[in-house]
Amino acid sequence: MKQDIILSGVGGQGILSIATIIGEAATQAGLTLKQAEVHGMSQRGGDVQSNLRLSDGDIASDLITMGTADMILSLEPMEALRYLPYLNKEGWVITSSAPFKNIPDYPQDQSLADELHALPHVVTVDVEALAREHAMPKCANVILLGAAARYLNILTVEQLRASIARVFGSKGDAVVEMNQRAFDIGHAASELK
Amino acid sequence: MEKKLLLGDEAIALGAIHAGIRGVYAYPGTPSTEITEYIQHHPLARERGLHSTWCTNEKTAVEAALGASYAGARVIACMKHVGLNVAADAFVNSALTGVNGGMIVIVADDPSMHSSQNEQDSRFYGKFSLMPVLEPSTQQEAYDMMEYGFELSEREKLPVLMRIVMRLAHSRAAVTVKSEADPLQMLPCAKDPAGWVLLPANSRRKYAALIEQQPRLEQLASQAPATRYEPANVPQATGILACGIGYNYVTEVKEAAGQFNVLKVTQYPMPTELVRRLAQDSREILVVEDGQPFAEEIIRGMLSADYPVKGRLTGDLPRTGELTPDAVATAMGHRPQRYFDVPKSVVGRPPALCQGCGHRDVYTALNEVVKDYPNARIFADIGCYTLGALPPFRAIDTCLDMGASITMAKGAADAGVFPAIAVIGDSTFTHSGMTGLLDAVNDKACITVVISDNLTTAMTGGQDSAGTNKFEAICLGLGVEPEHVRVVVPLPKNMDDITRVLREEIEYNGVSVIIPRRECIQTLNRKLKRKKAEKKS
């Protein structure tokens, strides 16, 4: 069994924190993992992506081959669409619906929504709004991870929750609880779709 | 033994610590920075007092590393590929002096120029300098090659170049590492002027010996632990010469398992006997390498002219850019399926200067002032502020290499450009700008130099900057007149003040330096966060 995930977003949104939580859970579960990150210039508000590969067998390439990703997990709707050539036929797109507009020619919101909903398997969640509503402004990325959890077949919801506890453990119980709550909120939101 | 999840850079750092290094000498540069940072934060490195503070540039780093090796220590020097150009004088000559304690120079190439000005392939430097070159394909090999590399270096009495690429440097995987580090390795200090003083008589002798050593180095490359030949299960197969991480993309094509003769190369000089065997067993060879067609050119020179060799030179793989599993699969006859296209509405999202960054205020002021000087040219440099080339600023006219802002402005001023304005960051100025400023002072060139000082090396993530608190003193020491060294605070509210100072100094017929100084908001925010966290606990 394998799961190839493209994480995407805008520099500074926190895609690497999502990768850390999934990666930690996968390591604990005894899975093999490779995670290609982008550091450097593009982190300054440009488009960023990370290739996260999980498997119960060996993994050769650090990069995901075109047409083979099982999931695009994105903190920004246009950034989800940017990596569509990597998605496999039955792959899922799980994305925040809140656009991040830091460029002058950002497309119309409606055209992005239309493109997204034309895909066979897509879940959009306004994680920014949920984060505001629940007074956890820094947890939008963990809410998105919660929304993706039911499609991450290689790991269980319990394994991911436990990983959040370990990853945020050093920041105290309150931070762990808030992030686990964020995860649960995202998980519940994806059920409604 | 234990398993750790490590970036390629971190695997190298831990491998070096475990092999008993005395220190790392480096200048930050993507994608190499995390090697040194990992050592800076490692508890054992602190306990052992390993050298890990940043150097002023890559040349000082390689020279200091060679000095430590001379003294008997195991040592690494790290840099990005273009940093090796800066260090080249020391690097190339160190193959002639040779080493005492083991020395590995780690150079991280950036094919596709994700964060660089070019995509030069450092293996050429290894060949040119006649040094052994290591090229790991995985994080595990990168870790294992450190101890191996030091032993190789000490046995052959030569520095070793380890060439990695961005995709290995910045990719994480589980690495099996030793639970305990080796003790600090220390040989007696060298004392051999005939070997270390590169006067022509000594150099000629050393060069001849280095040439004589080459067949043995090639033999060692063919026996390297991670280099191997995997024959196909079918007769008359195509051969693949896979270098470094190219091998991963070959094995990723699972449908092709056993269909190709594969020679995986992880050490140079090119193991020619293995390549000849691959050629004999195969009807043609596909060369799979990340970077420039280095191996492809070498084996073309080895084999007969009519032997079919495919790769980047023939267009079977793209001539430029990072190697991808897609391109390799296609070259192997298994073009990946593409089910969805990128919708037309998706537009590019280039990086930009952060909101609130002092460089923004510098460019706002410069754009305002140069409105009155239609012939003005702004010569910029390497750093976050290179982003001043993009909208909304479109403020800069050139960017070449570290330090070229001052020297290009000087040359342009010599040839009649007015105003010739240089924009350079604090860390870049101490890296390679100071000598150029001395040239300008000595010629009394009519240039205006803006040292945009954010008190850090920001682009690579906020490392210490060598000249912090010393810039006025450096400029005065180099001979800039005191009344033409001006400091301003780049904030929107100070715009009138900044533009006035710029105008005054542009009008001065000589060298003037303006230092807009305000801390990088990224490092400032991090400090504030840390303080807040400390207060809480």
Side-chain angles (χ1 to χ4, degrees), chain B residues 339-369:
Chain B
Y339 302 102
F340 306 96
D341 287 321
V342 182
K344 279 192 204 72
S345 51
V346 173
V347 293
R349 194 191 298 263
L353 289 168
C354 305
Q355 293 303 324
C357 166
H359 295 316
R360 283 184 171 263
D361 302 310
V362 171
Y363 283 127
T364 303
L366 276 169
N367 278 347
E368 179 62 30
V369 170

PDB file of all heavy atoms in Angstrom, chain B residues 339-369:
ATOM      1  N   TYR B 339      -3.729  12.829 -16.389  1.00  0.00           N
ATOM      2  CA  TYR B 339      -5.195  12.778 -16.403  1.00  0.00           C
ATOM      3  C   TYR B 339      -5.835  14.158 -16.339  1.00  0.00           C
ATOM      4  O   TYR B 339      -6.946  14.355 -16.785  1.00  0.00           O
ATOM      5  CB  TYR B 339      -5.704  11.916 -15.240  1.00  0.00           C
ATOM      6  CG  TYR B 339      -5.150  10.514 -15.278  1.00  0.00           C
ATOM      7  CD1 TYR B 339      -4.099  10.136 -14.447  1.00  0.00           C
ATOM      8  CD2 TYR B 339      -5.663   9.574 -16.182  1.00  0.00           C
ATOM      9  CE1 TYR B 339      -3.572   8.858 -14.502  1.00  0.00           C
ATOM     10  CE2 TYR B 339      -5.143   8.292 -16.247  1.00  0.00           C
ATOM     11  CZ  TYR B 339      -4.088   7.949 -15.396  1.00  0.00           C
ATOM     12  OH  TYR B 339      -3.571   6.684 -15.469  1.00  0.00           O
ATOM     13  N   PHE B 340      -5.170  15.098 -15.723  1.00  0.00           N
ATOM     14  CA  PHE B 340      -5.742  16.441 -15.560  1.00  0.00           C
ATOM     15  C   PHE B 340      -4.715  17.489 -15.977  1.00  0.00           C
ATOM     16  O   PHE B 340      -3.530  17.325 -15.714  1.00  0.00           O
ATOM     17  CB  PHE B 340      -6.134  16.699 -14.100  1.00  0.00           C
ATOM     18  CG  PHE B 340      -7.048  15.659 -13.517  1.00  0.00           C
ATOM     19  CD1 PHE B 340      -6.526  14.611 -12.771  1.00  0.00           C
ATOM     20  CD2 PHE B 340      -8.427  15.725 -13.709  1.00  0.00           C
ATOM     21  CE1 PHE B 340      -7.359  13.639 -12.223  1.00  0.00           C
ATOM     22  CE2 PHE B 340      -9.260  14.757 -13.165  1.00  0.00           C
ATOM     23  CZ  PHE B 340      -8.726  13.713 -12.419  1.00  0.00           C
ATOM     24  N   ASP B 341      -5.174  18.541 -16.602  1.00  0.00           N
ATOM     25  CA  ASP B 341      -4.272  19.637 -16.967  1.00  0.00           C
ATOM     26  C   ASP B 341      -4.411  20.786 -15.979  1.00  0.00           C
ATOM     27  O   ASP B 341      -5.394  20.863 -15.250  1.00  0.00           O
ATOM     28  CB  ASP B 341      -4.597  20.138 -18.378  1.00  0.00           C
ATOM     29  CG  ASP B 341      -4.143  19.128 -19.427  1.00  0.00           C
ATOM     30  OD1 ASP B 341      -3.055  18.544 -19.243  1.00  0.00           O
ATOM     31  OD2 ASP B 341      -4.890  18.900 -20.393  1.00  0.00           O
ATOM     32  N   VAL B 342      -3.433  21.662 -16.001  1.00  0.00           N
ATOM     33  CA  VAL B 342      -3.522  22.869 -15.168  1.00  0.00           C
ATOM     34  C   VAL B 342      -4.531  23.806 -15.832  1.00  0.00           C
ATOM     35  O   VAL B 342      -4.364  24.163 -17.002  1.00  0.00           O
ATOM     36  CB  VAL B 342      -2.155  23.576 -15.052  1.00  0.00           C
ATOM     37  CG1 VAL B 342      -2.261  24.784 -14.141  1.00  0.00           C
ATOM     38  CG2 VAL B 342      -1.085  22.624 -14.558  1.00  0.00           C
ATOM     39  N   PRO B 343      -5.598  24.198 -15.119  1.00  0.00           N
ATOM     40  CA  PRO B 343      -6.585  25.101 -15.728  1.00  0.00           C
ATOM     41  C   PRO B 343      -5.937  26.429 -16.132  1.00  0.00           C
ATOM     42  O   PRO B 343      -4.978  26.878 -15.502  1.00  0.00           O
ATOM     43  CB  PRO B 343      -7.602  25.329 -14.611  1.00  0.00           C
ATOM     44  CG  PRO B 343      -7.372  24.247 -13.630  1.00  0.00           C
ATOM     45  CD  PRO B 343      -5.948  23.837 -13.741  1.00  0.00           C
ATOM     46  N   LYS B 344      -6.498  27.039 -17.176  1.00  0.00           N
ATOM     47  CA  LYS B 344      -5.923  28.295 -17.683  1.00  0.00           C
ATOM     48  C   LYS B 344      -5.981  29.418 -16.655  1.00  0.00           C
ATOM     49  O   LYS B 344      -5.177  30.338 -16.682  1.00  0.00           O
ATOM     50  CB  LYS B 344      -6.673  28.727 -18.954  1.00  0.00           C
ATOM     51  CG  LYS B 344      -6.192  27.995 -20.188  1.00  0.00           C
ATOM     52  CD  LYS B 344      -6.741  28.662 -21.449  1.00  0.00           C
ATOM     53  CE  LYS B 344      -6.780  27.685 -22.608  1.00  0.00           C
ATOM     54  NZ  LYS B 344      -7.837  26.659 -22.481  1.00  0.00           N
ATOM     55  N   SER B 345      -6.951  29.344 -15.754  1.00  0.00           N
ATOM     56  CA  SER B 345      -7.096  30.433 -14.777  1.00  0.00           C
ATOM     57  C   SER B 345      -5.931  30.480 -13.776  1.00  0.00           C
ATOM     58  O   SER B 345      -5.759  31.489 -13.094  1.00  0.00           O
ATOM     59  CB  SER B 345      -8.418  30.294 -14.029  1.00  0.00           C
ATOM     60  OG  SER B 345      -8.544  28.992 -13.510  1.00  0.00           O
ATOM     61  N   VAL B 346      -5.153  29.405 -13.685  1.00  0.00           N
ATOM     62  CA  VAL B 346      -4.047  29.394 -12.720  1.00  0.00           C
ATOM     63  C   VAL B 346      -2.896  30.270 -13.228  1.00  0.00           C
ATOM     64  O   VAL B 346      -2.418  30.085 -14.344  1.00  0.00           O
ATOM     65  CB  VAL B 346      -3.549  27.949 -12.477  1.00  0.00           C
ATOM     66  CG1 VAL B 346      -2.298  27.950 -11.606  1.00  0.00           C
ATOM     67  CG2 VAL B 346      -4.641  27.113 -11.834  1.00  0.00           C
ATOM     68  N   VAL B 347      -2.502  31.237 -12.425  1.00  0.00           N
ATOM     69  CA  VAL B 347      -1.420  32.146 -12.828  1.00  0.00           C
ATOM     70  C   VAL B 347      -0.225  31.968 -11.899  1.00  0.00           C
ATOM     71  O   VAL B 347      -0.335  31.367 -10.834  1.00  0.00           O
ATOM     72  CB  VAL B 347      -1.875  33.630 -12.801  1.00  0.00           C
ATOM     73  CG1 VAL B 347      -2.912  33.888 -13.878  1.00  0.00           C
ATOM     74  CG2 VAL B 347      -2.406  34.013 -11.433  1.00  0.00           C
ATOM     75  N   GLY B 348       0.924  32.493 -12.320  1.00  0.00           N
ATOM     76  CA  GLY B 348       2.141  32.385 -11.523  1.00  0.00           C
ATOM     77  C   GLY B 348       2.044  33.188 -10.235  1.00  0.00           C
ATOM     78  O   GLY B 348       1.305  34.176 -10.158  1.00  0.00           O
ATOM     79  N   ARG B 349       2.758  32.709  -9.222  1.00  0.00           N
ATOM     80  CA  ARG B 349       2.774  33.433  -7.952  1.00  0.00           C
ATOM     81  C   ARG B 349       4.239  33.575  -7.535  1.00  0.00           C
ATOM     82  O   ARG B 349       4.762  32.748  -6.794  1.00  0.00           O
ATOM     83  CB  ARG B 349       1.977  32.677  -6.902  1.00  0.00           C
ATOM     84  CG  ARG B 349       1.665  33.520  -5.666  1.00  0.00           C
ATOM     85  CD  ARG B 349       1.118  32.683  -4.532  1.00  0.00           C
ATOM     86  NE  ARG B 349      -0.120  31.984  -4.754  1.00  0.00           N
ATOM     87  CZ  ARG B 349      -1.337  32.417  -4.390  1.00  0.00           C
ATOM     88  NH1 ARG B 349      -1.473  33.576  -3.806  1.00  0.00           N
ATOM     89  NH2 ARG B 349      -2.411  31.678  -4.625  1.00  0.00           N
ATOM     90  N   PRO B 350       4.918  34.603  -8.065  1.00  0.00           N
ATOM     91  CA  PRO B 350       6.340  34.749  -7.742  1.00  0.00           C
ATOM     92  C   PRO B 350       6.519  35.168  -6.285  1.00  0.00           C
ATOM     93  O   PRO B 350       5.599  35.719  -5.682  1.00  0.00           O
ATOM     94  CB  PRO B 350       6.807  35.856  -8.686  1.00  0.00           C
ATOM     95  CG  PRO B 350       5.578  36.625  -9.026  1.00  0.00           C
ATOM     96  CD  PRO B 350       4.419  35.676  -8.926  1.00  0.00           C
ATOM     97  N   PRO B 351       7.691  34.885  -5.715  1.00  0.00           N
ATOM     98  CA  PRO B 351       7.961  35.356  -4.359  1.00  0.00           C
ATOM     99  C   PRO B 351       8.027  36.879  -4.331  1.00  0.00           C
ATOM    100  O   PRO B 351       8.189  37.522  -5.367  1.00  0.00           O
ATOM    101  CB  PRO B 351       9.315  34.738  -4.025  1.00  0.00           C
ATOM    102  CG  PRO B 351       9.950  34.449  -5.343  1.00  0.00           C
ATOM    103  CD  PRO B 351       8.838  34.188  -6.302  1.00  0.00           C
ATOM    104  N   ALA B 352       7.903  37.466  -3.167  1.00  0.00           N
ATOM    105  CA  ALA B 352       7.926  38.927  -3.048  1.00  0.00           C
ATOM    106  C   ALA B 352       8.582  39.312  -1.728  1.00  0.00           C
ATOM    107  O   ALA B 352       8.661  38.505  -0.810  1.00  0.00           O
ATOM    108  CB  ALA B 352       6.498  39.465  -3.085  1.00  0.00           C
ATOM    109  N   LEU B 353       9.057  40.544  -1.657  1.00  0.00           N
ATOM    110  CA  LEU B 353       9.558  41.060  -0.381  1.00  0.00           C
ATOM    111  C   LEU B 353       8.416  41.057   0.634  1.00  0.00           C
ATOM    112  O   LEU B 353       7.272  41.375   0.297  1.00  0.00           O
ATOM    113  CB  LEU B 353      10.088  42.483  -0.559  1.00  0.00           C
ATOM    114  CG  LEU B 353      11.401  42.602  -1.336  1.00  0.00           C
ATOM    115  CD1 LEU B 353      11.683  44.055  -1.696  1.00  0.00           C
ATOM    116  CD2 LEU B 353      12.565  42.025  -0.533  1.00  0.00           C
ATOM    117  N   CYS B 354       8.720  40.697   1.874  1.00  0.00           N
ATOM    118  CA  CYS B 354       7.691  40.630   2.915  1.00  0.00           C
ATOM    119  C   CYS B 354       7.063  42.016   3.120  1.00  0.00           C
ATOM    120  O   CYS B 354       7.723  43.038   2.944  1.00  0.00           O
ATOM    121  CB  CYS B 354       8.303  40.199   4.246  1.00  0.00           C
ATOM    122  SG  CYS B 354       9.214  38.659   4.173  1.00  0.00           S
ATOM    123  N   GLN B 355       5.795  42.022   3.540  1.00  0.00           N
ATOM    124  CA  GLN B 355       5.174  43.276   3.947  1.00  0.00           C
ATOM    125  C   GLN B 355       5.933  43.792   5.170  1.00  0.00           C
ATOM    126  O   GLN B 355       6.236  43.026   6.073  1.00  0.00           O
ATOM    127  CB  GLN B 355       3.694  43.059   4.295  1.00  0.00           C
ATOM    128  CG  GLN B 355       2.828  42.684   3.096  1.00  0.00           C
ATOM    129  CD  GLN B 355       2.883  43.715   1.973  1.00  0.00           C
ATOM    130  OE1 GLN B 355       2.961  44.914   2.221  1.00  0.00           O
ATOM    131  NE2 GLN B 355       2.873  43.235   0.730  1.00  0.00           N
ATOM    132  N   GLY B 356       6.253  45.068   5.165  1.00  0.00           N
ATOM    133  CA  GLY B 356       6.948  45.643   6.325  1.00  0.00           C
ATOM    134  C   GLY B 356       8.459  45.528   6.273  1.00  0.00           C
ATOM    135  O   GLY B 356       9.152  45.961   7.187  1.00  0.00           O
ATOM    136  N   CYS B 357       8.988  44.946   5.177  1.00  0.00           N
ATOM    137  CA  CYS B 357      10.442  44.771   5.045  1.00  0.00           C
ATOM    138  C   CYS B 357      11.108  46.114   4.725  1.00  0.00           C
ATOM    139  O   CYS B 357      10.607  46.898   3.918  1.00  0.00           O
ATOM    140  CB  CYS B 357      10.712  43.768   3.930  1.00  0.00           C
ATOM    141  SG  CYS B 357      12.416  43.717   3.364  1.00  0.00           S
ATOM    142  N   GLY B 358      12.249  46.367   5.325  1.00  0.00           N
ATOM    143  CA  GLY B 358      12.971  47.621   5.100  1.00  0.00           C
ATOM    144  C   GLY B 358      13.431  47.809   3.657  1.00  0.00           C
ATOM    145  O   GLY B 358      13.524  48.938   3.167  1.00  0.00           O
ATOM    146  N   HIS B 359      13.734  46.688   2.963  1.00  0.00           N
ATOM    147  CA  HIS B 359      14.145  46.803   1.557  1.00  0.00           C
ATOM    148  C   HIS B 359      13.054  47.491   0.732  1.00  0.00           C
ATOM    149  O   HIS B 359      13.332  48.185  -0.239  1.00  0.00           O
ATOM    150  CB  HIS B 359      14.411  45.424   0.947  1.00  0.00           C
ATOM    151  CG  HIS B 359      15.560  44.673   1.552  1.00  0.00           C
ATOM    152  ND1 HIS B 359      16.764  45.262   1.848  1.00  0.00           N
ATOM    153  CD2 HIS B 359      15.690  43.361   1.888  1.00  0.00           C
ATOM    154  CE1 HIS B 359      17.584  44.327   2.349  1.00  0.00           C
ATOM    155  NE2 HIS B 359      16.951  43.171   2.383  1.00  0.00           N
ATOM    156  N   ARG B 360      11.780  47.258   1.103  1.00  0.00           N
ATOM    157  CA  ARG B 360      10.671  47.889   0.379  1.00  0.00           C
ATOM    158  C   ARG B 360      10.795  49.413   0.432  1.00  0.00           C
ATOM    159  O   ARG B 360      10.616  50.097  -0.566  1.00  0.00           O
ATOM    160  CB  ARG B 360       9.321  47.491   1.005  1.00  0.00           C
ATOM    161  CG  ARG B 360       8.877  46.101   0.624  1.00  0.00           C
ATOM    162  CD  ARG B 360       7.493  45.790   1.199  1.00  0.00           C
ATOM    163  NE  ARG B 360       7.016  44.535   0.623  1.00  0.00           N
ATOM    164  CZ  ARG B 360       6.187  44.465  -0.421  1.00  0.00           C
ATOM    165  NH1 ARG B 360       5.680  45.559  -0.946  1.00  0.00           N
ATOM    166  NH2 ARG B 360       5.836  43.302  -0.915  1.00  0.00           N
ATOM    167  N   ASP B 361      11.115  49.906   1.625  1.00  0.00           N
ATOM    168  CA  ASP B 361      11.217  51.361   1.784  1.00  0.00           C
ATOM    169  C   ASP B 361      12.414  51.905   1.008  1.00  0.00           C
ATOM    170  O   ASP B 361      12.359  53.001   0.455  1.00  0.00           O
ATOM    171  CB  ASP B 361      11.313  51.723   3.271  1.00  0.00           C
ATOM    172  CG  ASP B 361      10.111  51.186   4.037  1.00  0.00           C
ATOM    173  OD1 ASP B 361       8.985  51.424   3.573  1.00  0.00           O
ATOM    174  OD2 ASP B 361      10.314  50.503   5.054  1.00  0.00           O
ATOM    175  N   VAL B 362      13.487  51.107   0.955  1.00  0.00           N
ATOM    176  CA  VAL B 362      14.667  51.517   0.189  1.00  0.00           C
ATOM    177  C   VAL B 362      14.292  51.669  -1.286  1.00  0.00           C
ATOM    178  O   VAL B 362      14.629  52.670  -1.940  1.00  0.00           O
ATOM    179  CB  VAL B 362      15.819  50.502   0.365  1.00  0.00           C
ATOM    180  CG1 VAL B 362      16.958  50.800  -0.605  1.00  0.00           C
ATOM    181  CG2 VAL B 362      16.318  50.511   1.810  1.00  0.00           C
ATOM    182  N   TYR B 363      13.562  50.689  -1.828  1.00  0.00           N
ATOM    183  CA  TYR B 363      13.208  50.751  -3.249  1.00  0.00           C
ATOM    184  C   TYR B 363      12.171  51.836  -3.536  1.00  0.00           C
ATOM    185  O   TYR B 363      12.213  52.478  -4.586  1.00  0.00           O
ATOM    186  CB  TYR B 363      12.721  49.387  -3.744  1.00  0.00           C
ATOM    187  CG  TYR B 363      13.863  48.423  -3.968  1.00  0.00           C
ATOM    188  CD1 TYR B 363      13.878  47.172  -3.392  1.00  0.00           C
ATOM    189  CD2 TYR B 363      14.948  48.796  -4.767  1.00  0.00           C
ATOM    190  CE1 TYR B 363      14.934  46.298  -3.594  1.00  0.00           C
ATOM    191  CE2 TYR B 363      16.007  47.938  -4.973  1.00  0.00           C
ATOM    192  CZ  TYR B 363      16.001  46.684  -4.391  1.00  0.00           C
ATOM    193  OH  TYR B 363      17.049  45.834  -4.601  1.00  0.00           O
ATOM    194  N   THR B 364      11.258  52.032  -2.597  1.00  0.00           N
ATOM    195  CA  THR B 364      10.295  53.121  -2.774  1.00  0.00           C
ATOM    196  C   THR B 364      11.043  54.453  -2.899  1.00  0.00           C
ATOM    197  O   THR B 364      10.769  55.264  -3.788  1.00  0.00           O
ATOM    198  CB  THR B 364       9.313  53.173  -1.572  1.00  0.00           C
ATOM    199  OG1 THR B 364       8.685  51.901  -1.474  1.00  0.00           O
ATOM    200  CG2 THR B 364       8.258  54.254  -1.750  1.00  0.00           C
ATOM    201  N   ALA B 365      12.022  54.649  -2.012  1.00  0.00           N
ATOM    202  CA  ALA B 365      12.802  55.893  -2.034  1.00  0.00           C
ATOM    203  C   ALA B 365      13.626  56.007  -3.320  1.00  0.00           C
ATOM    204  O   ALA B 365      13.649  57.061  -3.966  1.00  0.00           O
ATOM    205  CB  ALA B 365      13.714  55.946  -0.806  1.00  0.00           C
ATOM    206  N   LEU B 366      14.285  54.909  -3.695  1.00  0.00           N
ATOM    207  CA  LEU B 366      15.114  54.943  -4.913  1.00  0.00           C
ATOM    208  C   LEU B 366      14.260  55.252  -6.134  1.00  0.00           C
ATOM    209  O   LEU B 366      14.631  56.073  -6.982  1.00  0.00           O
ATOM    210  CB  LEU B 366      15.829  53.601  -5.102  1.00  0.00           C
ATOM    211  CG  LEU B 366      17.146  53.432  -4.337  1.00  0.00           C
ATOM    212  CD1 LEU B 366      17.611  51.978  -4.393  1.00  0.00           C
ATOM    213  CD2 LEU B 366      18.234  54.352  -4.897  1.00  0.00           C
ATOM    214  N   ASN B 367      13.104  54.592  -6.240  1.00  0.00           N
ATOM    215  CA  ASN B 367      12.232  54.832  -7.396  1.00  0.00           C
ATOM    216  C   ASN B 367      11.790  56.291  -7.453  1.00  0.00           C
ATOM    217  O   ASN B 367      11.703  56.887  -8.522  1.00  0.00           O
ATOM    218  CB  ASN B 367      11.011  53.912  -7.349  1.00  0.00           C
ATOM    219  CG  ASN B 367      11.335  52.516  -7.888  1.00  0.00           C
ATOM    220  OD1 ASN B 367      12.379  52.308  -8.499  1.00  0.00           O
ATOM    221  ND2 ASN B 367      10.450  51.569  -7.638  1.00  0.00           N
ATOM    222  N   GLU B 368      11.532  56.863  -6.287  1.00  0.00           N
ATOM    223  CA  GLU B 368      11.117  58.262  -6.205  1.00  0.00           C
ATOM    224  C   GLU B 368      12.245  59.185  -6.715  1.00  0.00           C
ATOM    225  O   GLU B 368      12.026  60.069  -7.539  1.00  0.00           O
ATOM    226  CB  GLU B 368      10.761  58.576  -4.741  1.00  0.00           C
ATOM    227  CG  GLU B 368      10.323  60.004  -4.461  1.00  0.00           C
ATOM    228  CD  GLU B 368       9.053  60.367  -5.212  1.00  0.00           C
ATOM    229  OE1 GLU B 368       8.225  59.459  -5.459  1.00  0.00           O
ATOM    230  OE2 GLU B 368       8.915  61.563  -5.572  1.00  0.00           O
ATOM    231  N   VAL B 369      13.470  58.909  -6.239  1.00  0.00           N
ATOM    232  CA  VAL B 369      14.603  59.778  -6.571  1.00  0.00           C
ATOM    233  C   VAL B 369      14.996  59.651  -8.044  1.00  0.00           C
ATOM    234  O   VAL B 369      15.261  60.654  -8.711  1.00  0.00           O
ATOM    235  CB  VAL B 369      15.813  59.473  -5.650  1.00  0.00           C
ATOM    236  CG1 VAL B 369      17.065  60.188  -6.137  1.00  0.00           C
ATOM    237  CG2 VAL B 369      15.483  59.874  -4.211  1.00  0.00           C
TER     238      VAL B 369
END
